[in-house]
Amino acid sequence: MNYLIKHHNLVIFFICLGLLIGAFIFDALGIYPCPMCIVQRWCFAFAGLSALGLSVFKNNYLNRLLMVGLYGFLIFGILFSSRQIFVQNLPIDELMSIGGCGMPFSTMVEYQGLFNALIMAYQGGPSCAEDGWRFIFNFAEWALIAFLGMTFLKTMLRFGQMNLNNKVFGLSCWWRVFPSL
């Protein structure tokens, strides 16, 4: 257990890698993603690469930069997956008034630029509201659970690294971090 606590960045990397492998299996099965799903996949990829970089490099400046990148991609993924869950639960008449995801994401980037393509993808649309597959939850719900779980894991273990000799994930040192708890 102490090994997992010490190398939690590798755990985050392998979680992201597993989710990306699963996403590419869906592409092989002919289930093609909407623009919101593509952005979530890119967030998984860059969060996984940031976590891998945190576990490999020992430069303090680079680790700070990678930490900001990791949290940025995790928060960005949380925003996109929660927006997709919101779009999936809209009534049909409200859903038809949203027109952000009308074309594939690569085409939006080509003609609109990356920033405008991200804005259009975040708006969502009827293609983003489709529920293509479901294993207890759909992809957006699993992505939200994964992004929140990795953010929670990274935050808890980051604070827990202040004293790794504590018994349960370093949680007994919380009285020093948050004295009001």
Side-chain angles (χ1 to χ4, degrees):
M1 183 59 101
N2 198 15
Y3 180 80
L4 290 178
I5 294 170
K6 192 174 182 180
H7 299 288
H8 62 276
N9 291 318
L10 285 176
V11 172
I12 292 175
F13 169 72
F14 284 117
I15 290 171
C16 291
L17 183 65
L19 289 167
L20 287 173
I21 289 171
F24 288 117
I25 289 173
F26 285 121
D27 282 344
L29 294 175
I31 302 172
Y32 297 108
C34 70
M36 276 190 182
C37 293
I38 292 172
V39 172
Q40 291 170 40
R41 289 178 184 189
W42 281 106
C43 288
F44 280 128
F46 287 126
L49 289 175
S50 297
L52 181 64
L54 280 169
S55 66
V56 171
F57 299 117
K58 300 302 177 201
N59 184 346
N60 284 337
Y61 177 74
L62 183 60
N63 280 353
R64 287 181 186 155
L65 186 65
L66 288 170
M67 182 76 73
V68 169
L70 176 64
Y71 275 113
F73 290 120
L74 291 176
I75 290 171
F76 203 64
I78 289 170
L79 290 174
F80 267 85
S81 58
S82 60
R83 174 66 180 179
Q84 186 170 9
I85 293 169
F86 173 75
V87 168
Q88 288 174 345
N89 292 313
L90 282 176
I92 293 177
D93 56 339
E94 290 182 33
L95 183 62
M96 292 304 162
S97 66
I98 300 174
C101 291
M103 58 183 97
F105 188 70
S106 60
T107 307
M108 289 193 307
V109 170
E110 184 178 339
Y111 289 109
Q112 302 292 330
L114 180 62
F115 186 71
N116 288 336
L118 289 173
I119 291 172
M120 289 173 62
Y122 186 76
Q123 291 173 353
S127 66
C128 294
E130 291 179 11
D131 205 5
W133 65 272
R134 183 172 282 276
F135 177 70
I136 302 171
F137 301 117
N138 61 21
F139 177 78
E141 293 163 344
W142 280 116
L144 181 62
I145 291 168
F147 284 125
L148 287 173
M150 287 185 287
T151 304
F152 180 75
L153 174 74
K154 183 64 183 168
T155 303
M156 294 294 281
L157 293 179
R158 181 70 180 152
F159 285 130
Q161 277 186 342
M162 287 188 278
N163 185 0
L164 278 178
N165 295 327
N166 292 329
K167 297 194 181 196
V168 181
F169 292 107
L171 293 180
S172 62
C173 69
W174 280 100
W175 62 272
R176 282 182 260 154
V177 177
F178 299 109
S180 62
L181 290 178

